[in-house]
Amino acid sequence: MRPYIKEFFTHVDICVMCVLLVAGWTVLLPHANEGTIWLALVIGMAGYALSEYMIHRFLFHMKPPKHPLLLAMLRRLHYDHHIYPNELHLLFLPVWYSLPVMAGPALIAYGVTRDTVLTIAFVTGVISFLLYYEWTHFVAHRPIKPITPWGRWMKKVHLWHHYKSEHYWYGVTNPLFDVMLGTFRDEQQVEKSETARNLEGKADSRL
């Protein structure tokens, strides 16, 4: 396990997020006795959990755009990951994507609260869940056996998404939104998709 932990935490995108996480907690620790700080953290984590599903399903699996720059971005963000699911550098969200995506909710949080510390708490919650997502996704694609039964099951479910059908099982850390929004199926009842490894070749009106 040690080589994989090193592999994970030495990746540049993960390093940047870890630095931001430590910086966030440095600001928050003096306010740890304030309930609103913990509430903002939880809201940030819940927000990322929802965005994990929504972005994966509706952005990363959208029909290929005609604009060459947008297509190149989606290839890096997800299309190429389905072609080469175990390629290390394709497992992580690049900071050029993650930081701007976090900036929008951060500005909204500040606009609502007018409080810098609460906004930092919210963003720290987002980053915390992002790193949990990145680790879960990393484990799913590396030759690692998760310690818990839950981890082993989620790894299996995510690999169904890659090798059985890209139309189901969008949740990487949990199946909640798949169940709520109808994209969780019994694997035995799902036909193998011919485009699971080639998202640019699909034409599915359900998405």
Side-chain angles (χ1 to χ4, degrees), residues 64-80 90 96 200:
K66 295 181 180 180
H67 194 288
L69 178 58
L70 293 177
L71 180 58
M73 290 175 63
L74 278 173
R75 283 173 174 165
R76 168 57 187 90
L77 289 170
H78 204 65
Y79 291 174
D80 287 354
L90 296 174
W96 57 257
E200 292 186 57

Side-chain angles (χ1 to χ4, degrees), residues 88-161:
L88 182 62
H89 81 282
L90 296 174
L91 297 183
F92 304 106
L93 295 171
V95 292
W96 57 257
Y97 163 81
S98 297
L99 293 180
V101 165
M102 287 192 295
L107 290 173
I108 293 172
Y110 183 76
V112 170
T113 65
R114 297 294 178 180
D115 189 302
T116 302
V117 176
L118 282 177
T119 301
I120 291 173
F122 171 79
V123 174
T124 301
V126 171
I127 295 172
S128 298
F129 206 94
L130 166 63
L131 286 169
Y132 171 56
Y133 161 85
E134 293 281 34
W135 174 254
T136 304
H137 192 226
F138 175 78
V139 168
H141 289 281
R142 303 302 282 164
I144 301 171
K145 183 178 181 180
I147 297 173
T148 66
W150 172 264
R152 292 192 290 272
W153 183 71
M154 283 307 305
K155 176 170 183 169
K156 179 171 64 175
V157 169
H158 184 63
L159 294 180
W160 291 344
H161 173 77

